[in-house]
Every structure is written in structure tokens, then in C-alpha cells.
Amino acid sequence: AQKITQTQPGMFVQEKEAVTLDCTYDTSDPSYGLFWYKQPSSGEMIFLIYQGSYDQQNATEGRYSLNFQKARKSANLVISASQLGDSAMYFCAMREDFIRDDKIIFGKGTRLHILP
Amino acid sequence: DVKVTQSSRYLVKRTGEKVFLECVQDMDHENMFWYRQDPGLGLRLIYFSYDVKMKEKGDIPEGYSVSREKKERFSLILESASTNQTSMYLCASSPYRGPSYEQYFGPGTRLTVT
């Protein structure tokens, strides 16, 4: 079974609109972390935001916020006021703390296109 | 500034060749990782290491080996390259049990095996 599911292979959004990228995860570990990464066409992976499973508040970093719904095992990324430079591939990822090796499991990604 | 470098951005090799992909990090991180990225499949973990001379298999280790003789360097070896190993290879590092354990990535190596 997939540990990280991103159901939107691609999305088209008008510039300046808010964007929600979906991510659901599957774990029985009570302690885990959730990540979002951005990969522009140049190829480098850029860390955007992190949410720990015990964090009481949703994580925010500038225009990025993580809508964490623990009971639903959902960790959607919200980008406010989208910009052309947000066009990229976005990956949701999870680390399970029970496993000591600090591995991160990645979803298959969502390609976001921002339209002018 | 955090930095992970990979020896080549683009590489073209012939079937059967032995291929070395090098990754160096300057952040004194314990953990290092090799992934391959293919369209529609996301990132898949090949091997990782959480200490010098330590290595663990990831999800798709077949056809690959690794070497970590120094803390800052993690090498991926394709013993006998095949066309199905044509892919983007990404190296990453992270501190052991750091605050958020985020992984820092190198720029990637796009390998073509002909």
C-alpha cells in the first residue's frame, strides 16, 4: 500500500489564486513528520514546510501553509496568492519516527502550472 | 550555506560500463541518501547511509551499490549499467535526528545509458 498519496498528477491555476495540493498518508506510527518539497524545472529539490505529528498548530512559512488534519491523515499544502514562479513539481513526503534511519518516503508528485 | 554537490549534471554511458556517481555534502550530516526519479514514479530510495562505512538498502537497490568511506562523501555505483537505469539521480543528506530531519538535496545527475 502506498504510504503517501498525491491524487492530482497535474493542476492548472490562474495567477494570484490560492492553490491547494492534496496529500494523504498512511502510517500506524504515532510519531511522524510530514514535508513538502518543490522541484522547479531546473531539477533541484527545495524544502518548503514541515509538520510534526504532535504539533498543535498548522505549519506556515510565508505563502505556504500546511493544512494538517490528523484524523483524516491529510496534509494538504496551501499556497496563497500564487505566482508564475510557483510552477513546479511538488512532492509530499513523510518520515516515521519509530524507524531510526530517518528515511523519508515521497509521494509521486503533483505538477502545478500557474497561468498568467 | 547548506550545500550538497554531485559530480555531474549530465552523464552519458554505454551499456555494461561501470558508473560512479559522487555526492559530497559540507554540512557534517550523518545521513546520506541516493534516490532515482522517474516520471510518474516520484522519488524512490536506492540506498542510504547513516554513518561512515554503514549502508542500508532502500526500496530499489538491485543493480546498484554504494560506498561511504568518509562522512562527507557518498558514492553510488552502477556495476554494469543498463538502459533501464537511465534516470535522474538525486543525492540528499540530513542530520541524524535533527529538529525536522529535512533532507537537503543536490542538483541531480541526469544519466543516460545507451
Side-chain angles (χ1 to χ4, degrees):
Chain A
Q2 280 191 43
K3 292 263 188 179
I4 296 285
T5 303
Q6 295 181 252
T7 56
Q8 306 149 311
M11 283 184 74
F12 290 83
V13 173
Q14 210 67 42
E15 190 182 7
K16 298 190 177 71
E17 288 184 357
V19 181
T20 298
L21 303 180
D22 295 340
C23 174
T24 56
Y25 59 92
D26 181 27
T27 182
S28 55
D29 193 332
S31 177
Y32 52 89
L34 297 156
F35 305 78
W36 277 93
Y37 281 84
K38 172 184 178 181
Q39 187 182 42
S41 56
S42 52
E44 77 273 24
M45 293 282 283
I46 302 166
F47 166 72
L48 295 178
I49 198 166
Y50 167 81
Q51 177 88 42
S53 58
Y54 292 119
D55 293 342
Q56 295 296 314
Q57 296 194 318
N58 287 344
T60 60
E61 289 286 348
R63 292 186 301 114
Y64 303 108
S65 60
L66 200 152
N67 184 2
F68 181 45
Q69 298 189 40
K70 198 169 181 177
R72 296 173 110 182
K73 294 189 174 177
S74 163
N76 297 342
L77 177 71
V78 180
I79 306 174
S80 63
S82 58
Q83 303 170 356
L84 295 177
D86 294 333
S87 292
M89 194 75 167
Y90 288 80
F91 291 97
C92 179
M94 175 177 68
R95 182 205 71 247
E96 295 169 295
D97 291 341
F98 180 72
I99 302 167
R100 70 166 297 277
D101 52 33
D102 292 348
K103 282 194 302 186
I104 292 179
I105 304 158
F106 286 84
K108 295 184 178 180
T110 295
R111 186 167 294 282
L112 176 63
H113 304 268
I114 305 296
L115 304 171
Chain B
D1 203 13
V2 166
K3 203 159 185 188
V4 179
T5 55
Q6 294 182 229
S7 48
S8 307
R9 287 302 302 269
Y10 300 94
L11 209 52
V12 180
K13 294 292 181 181
R14 294 202 179 277
T15 302
E17 277 193 80
K18 191 168 185 174
V19 181
F20 292 86
L21 302 182
E22 298 269 307
C23 176
V24 178
Q25 50 97 1
D26 66 0
M27 296 162 284
D28 201 35
H29 285 168
E30 290 80 9
N31 301 326
M32 294 188 77
F33 307 83
W34 273 107
Y35 296 91
R36 66 176 281 176
Q37 182 181 7
D38 301 288
L41 297 178
L43 274 73
R44 292 181 293 167
L45 183 64
I46 305 171
Y47 266 98
F48 63 100
S49 167
Y50 50 86
D51 203 352
V52 176
K53 297 196 188 293
M54 306 287 285
K55 60 184 179 185
E56 296 280 346
K57 292 180 180 178
D59 300 317
I60 51 163
E62 296 79 19
Y64 304 94
S65 62
V66 290
S67 172
R68 191 157 181 212
E69 297 296 319
K70 293 185 177 180
K71 189 176 186 180
E72 67 270 18
R73 190 179 296 268
F74 192 36
S75 301
L76 180 70
I77 304 154
L78 286 65
E79 296 290 343
S80 177
S82 64
T83 54
N84 62 14
Q85 292 178 309
T86 291
S87 187
M88 171 73 116
Y89 289 88
L90 291 162
C91 174
S93 72
S94 70
Y96 178 63
R97 298 282 150 169
S100 63
Y101 325 2
E102 72 185 79
Q103 293 185 3
Y104 297 84
F105 281 82
T109 296
R110 194 168 291 280
L111 173 68
T112 302
V113 182
T114 61

